[in-house]
Amino acid sequence: VFYPNIKYYFKKILDSIEIISVRIIARIHTIVFPKPIWLVGERLDTAQDNGIVFFNYLQKERQDLKSFYIFDKKRAQNHKVNNVNKVIQYNSFYHKILFNRSKYYITSHNHYCVPLTFFGKKRYSFSVQTKNVFLQHGITYSDNSDDYGKAKSKIDLFICGAKPEYEFVKERFGYNPDQVKLTGFARFDALHNV
């Protein structure tokens, strides 16, 4: 009768040990390599959206930054990303360390690239210094603020691709005006050489 509860609590204890260990190693990593980390991603099995376009921009134009692309090579549908430097395997130990010390977490799919604990598959929490930037993957035209609103999502910067969307998100999603930016989507920049 008690076995399922023991197993559950044992996994919780192991997850806590893992999270604490990774945080300690991440602090040591920060001391040894103090440059801020930028983690970029999108869906874990493809590299075709705003995440990869933004990452490619960083690699070309901002080589002064320490940026990495999160990808799950085991589930990959699109292997173009395998030729890119600084690709880290999703949910690897190194991914967990970099996530814990990242300055920016930038994705087109919020929380897809957040690592999970090994035993209980619990999602890691953002550290206090990490800024969560949501690039999106499509225009928001309906009220999905229950998922992407400020109260629930922990998004620090919400990128919009169109003026009506920008006004809609500012009005309905609970963000401060400086937390919503109308920039267009990164993937639009890859469509034409203008």
Side-chain angles (χ1 to χ4, degrees), residues 63-151:
Q63 294 176 5
D64 57 312
L65 300 176
K66 192 91 168 152
S67 59
F68 296 89
Y69 189 78
I70 307 160
F71 195 62
D72 190 347
K73 296 172 188 171
K74 298 170 192 165
R75 294 191 286 170
Q77 296 177 20
N78 180 343
H79 297 286
K80 285 187 234 173
V81 77
N82 291 335
N83 297 327
V84 178
N85 292 331
K86 299 184 182 178
V87 174
I88 57 171
Q89 173 62 39
Y90 169 72
N91 221 39
S92 64
F93 190 66
Y94 191 49
H95 174 214
K96 293 173 183 182
I97 291 169
L98 294 180
F99 179 82
N100 270 276
R101 60 155 301 204
S102 64
K103 182 175 181 180
Y104 294 103
Y105 168 82
I106 307 161
T107 64
S108 61
H109 293 68
N110 196 33
H111 295 301
Y112 272 45
C113 298
V114 174
L116 303 172
T117 57
F118 183 77
F119 294 99
K121 302 303 179 197
K122 177 185 172 189
R123 193 181 304 275
Y124 271 72
S125 300
F126 288 99
S127 72
V128 178
Q129 85 269 1
T130 303
K131 298 295 181 204
N132 181 10
V133 179
F134 184 43
L135 293 176
Q136 291 200 79
H137 56 280
I139 301 291
T140 300
Y141 63 91
S142 60
D143 190 353
N144 56 2
S145 58
D146 286 345
D147 293 321
Y148 296 107
K150 182 64 180 167

Side-chain angles (χ1 to χ4, degrees), residues 150-162:
K150 182 64 180 167
K152 190 172 179 184
S153 69
K154 296 187 168 88
I155 292 171
D156 296 301
L157 183 62
F158 196 112
I159 301 299
C160 294

